[in-house]
Amino acid sequence: MIPSGNRLLFPLVMAAAVLANPAAAFTLDSDEPIKVSANSARLDDSAGTAIYTGAVELVQGSVKLDAERVVLYRSPQGLSRIEASGSPAHYRQPSQDQTAVINAEALNITWSAKDSQLTFEREALIEQGGSTFRGDVIHYDTVNRVVTAEGGNSEGANTGRVEMVIQPRSSGQ
């Protein structure tokens, strides 16, 4: 339960604690190219898609995405969407101050250039510095630095609720 005086502050604290560096997320404005390696690839120029399968590794600078399958969508303006799936797919980026790594995983991870949004779906988990954020669907607006999460069905160990663990600040912070 969040004390009523902290309800407005809580989403901001969680966004800062877990996803602190929106500039590090995949971006078309980066000078860094997006590099992809996989066991196989199918490029369809007329559809504007590239489908990579088998131990896919997608890297842009210090941001990394590992998955079993990745689909890149291109529009006339360039790369517009990345869809990754795995069991689970993994996303990593350094924190804003470079002192920690943000690790995220989900069965499906989507990046949308149009919405400037990362979406982690199905068994989503984001960890940084001992803090965790878990839900069925987690959306991260990389421009406005807003995190929203949804619970899911309660099955097995899944409670169907959004769960967060925020580590206290150490005395040196």
Side-chain angles (χ1 to χ4, degrees), residues 51-114:
I51 301 171
Y52 299 90
T53 55
V56 183
E57 183 177 281
L58 190 143
V59 177
Q60 184 181 37
S62 57
V63 178
K64 184 176 179 185
L65 177 66
D66 295 308
E68 294 169 12
R69 182 174 192 266
V70 172
V71 181
L72 304 179
Y73 295 88
R74 293 187 62 83
S75 68
Q77 295 74 33
L79 186 63
S80 61
R81 185 175 178 88
I82 299 171
E83 294 177 355
S85 59
S87 55
H90 297 272
Y91 174 85
R92 283 178 288 296
Q93 75 178 52
S95 63
Q96 187 170 4
D97 61 7
Q98 304 291 315
T99 61
V101 174
I102 297 165
N103 288 301
E105 64 181 48
L107 297 181
N108 298 309
I109 300 173
T110 304
W111 171 79
S112 170
K114 177 184 172 190

Side-chain angles (χ1 to χ4, degrees), residues 143-171:
V143 172
N144 297 312
R145 298 174 68 173
V146 175
V147 178
T148 57
E150 302 167 17
N153 297 329
S154 57
E155 301 171 359
N158 182 8
T159 65
R161 297 172 53 86
V162 174
E163 299 173 2
M164 297 179 212
V165 175
I166 301 172
Q167 296 299 320
R169 288 186 175 202
S170 67
S171 59

